[in-house]
Amino acid sequence: GRAPLPAGVRVYNPLVLPPTRELFRKANSALFAPRVAGMLRKDGLGPMPVVFAYLPTQTTLSLLDGLGPSLAVYDCVDNFYGLPSAPKDLAETEAALLSRCGLVLTTSRTLFEDKRRLHPNVLELHHGTSTAFFLPPRPAGPHRRLAYFGTLWRALDYAAVAALAQAGFAVELIGPAKEAPPPLPPSARLTGMLPHSDLPARLAGADALLLPYVDDEYNRGVIPAKTYECLATGRPVLASPLPALRAVPELSDALIFAKTPGEWVEKARALDSTEDAASVGKRLALARAHSEEKSFELLRRAVDSALPSPR
């Protein structure tokens, strides 16, 4: 609620219980989910709406029961099976959600491969970038200032960040700390959360951007939402070789992969001699091909095709 909302967008923060216990699920199904559906209808939601669902939980299923959508879309943005606290019946509730949806969206190639075995209509749709992230070229000089932006939590490869800082690079970590990071060298700075609109101006001061992630089951399904925003800056992007990133040839060609802390330092030091105009052009072209407008057009067409006719 801190940022102003775009026109036509409303956010609700309804009362529901976490779907972790059978008693909570029954209360949600019998009381809280119907109350949410009634609140939405009272506020103008028409009959047979299009509903986008993100979490494969019993609460989502109860909400769908109350809303009676003409089309339900499962927007799968995470490999929930890799979470340390994944529900024991996750496969069962996800199967129930898939059976109710006419379209499944996935944000990575690995999630696409997982879900297309379970549903006939799956689309791989990466997060796009706005024009604000296309920055002026960086000034000539060594690549000493490195930046990461996003949530700080256990999914990040802090060993890589520490190695870069110890090697003399100035590393800025921009974003909220979901979990406190481990102790880092002084040249690694935590600068906290910024409004998304302020990010491009901050990134203009960076010489290269970082996508450092640990190699685990959760990250197997991840193409970071910021990937094309990073590429749009024109700066070189050093990244962990996540399976989802490596599975897309264009991304593999545009990103600079590093796995061990030593490799991160080696690749960062090599930027002064390996960076050229062709590399910058390749990154910019890939970002333009994944603009927010183009991503939204793919989404709109997929929804139109999946809607029952007549609606």
Side-chain angles (χ1 to χ4, degrees), residues 51 57-66 69-74 93-104 119:
V51 177
T57 66
Q58 189 63 47
T59 306
T60 298
L61 300 176
S62 297
L63 282 169
L64 289 176
D65 288 341
S70 60
L71 173 67
V73 181
Y74 176 24
T93 54
E94 184 179 58
L97 177 58
L98 288 166
S99 70
R100 301 182 189 203
C101 290
L103 173 64
V104 177
H119 196 277

Side-chain angles (χ1 to χ4, degrees), residues 235-301:
R235 275 62 174 167
V237 183
L238 282 72
S240 299
L242 301 178
L245 292 174
R246 293 171 65 96
V248 182
E250 297 85 358
L251 284 175
S252 289
D253 195 34
L255 300 172
I256 302 167
F257 289 131
K259 190 171 186 179
T260 66
E263 286 181 3
W264 279 89
V265 173
E266 177 187 345
K267 296 294 180 66
R269 286 174 173 165
L271 292 176
D272 294 343
S273 58
T274 57
E275 270 297 288
D276 54 27
S279 299
V280 176
K282 187 185 303 180
R283 292 191 288 267
L284 294 178
L286 187 55
R288 291 189 187 101
H290 289 82
S291 67
E292 287 181 341
E293 291 78 11
K294 290 181 179 179
S295 293
F296 182 78
E297 181 60 19
L298 288 173
L299 171 63
R300 188 190 64 79
R301 291 179 182 177

